[in-house]
Amino acid sequence: MRVAVQSAPFDLGVEVAAFTAGVTGAGAVVTFTGIVRPDGGLTGMEIEHYPGMTEKAILAITGEAVTRWGLADALVIHRYGPLKPGEAIMMVATAAPHRGDAFAAAEFLMDYLKSRAPFWKKESRDGGATLVAAKDADEDALKRW
């Protein structure tokens, strides 16, 4: 199990290949990558976090996913700092004996990262910058777990 909170971009192909190569006892690997969307004229996004606290929180929820779905392994990478539309923000990879558990655990982790992980996001547009508020849809998605 690995969690990385970093400012540097990551290479999805390299990360998935390394993750998959290190997995034993799994019949399924599921990956998801979040990308900065250019919605509504978005020109950039700034993500902030508290070092140490953020990693600890993500490690705890990743450990919960590993236990709950009997995962062989899990990986979460989340970036912080300035990001532009089209750049990868985060990725989740889960490995399990069966695909259903790998998919469910990946969705659980994605829902957690979207609504509960301790990150603060500010979106920039030509008209200025605003903090991103929690969305009801994200909270509803988390309730199913």
Side-chain angles (χ1 to χ4, degrees):
M1 182 174 78
R2 180 168 73 94
V3 168
V5 178
Q6 61 191 51
S7 61
F10 56 87
D11 184 317
L12 177 63
V14 168
E15 294 293 347
V16 172
F19 177 78
T20 303
V23 170
T24 56
V29 171
V30 169
T31 66
F32 172 83
T33 306
I35 308 291
V36 178
R37 293 183 306 261
D39 291 349
L42 185 78
T43 58
M45 177 180 282
E46 178 82 23
I47 299 175
E48 296 181 15
H49 79 297
Y50 287 118
M53 182 179 92
T54 302
E55 292 85 352
K56 183 178 178 182
I58 296 172
L59 272 169
I61 203 70
T62 304
E64 181 180 330
V66 167
T67 300
R68 187 170 174 180
W69 282 280
L71 300 181
D73 204 357
L75 166 67
V76 176
I77 300 174
H78 203 297
R79 293 183 59 203
Y80 65 90
L83 300 165
K84 296 196 179 313
E87 288 189 81
I89 299 174
M90 55 76 69
M91 74 165 285
V92 167
T94 57
H98 303 283
R99 71 177 185 254
D101 290 330
F103 274 107
E107 284 191 274
F108 169 77
L109 288 168
M110 291 179 293
D111 287 344
Y112 170 81
L113 290 168
K114 184 75 173 171
S115 59
R116 288 290 189 273
F119 290 102
W120 294 267
K121 300 173 185 173
K122 182 170 51 173
E123 295 180 338
S124 297
R125 292 180 171 71
D126 289 335
T130 58
L131 289 174
V132 176
K135 296 178 182 162
D136 290 338
D138 295 333
E139 293 298 317
D140 291 343
L142 193 59
K143 287 177 188 175
R144 67 185 167 140
W145 305 112

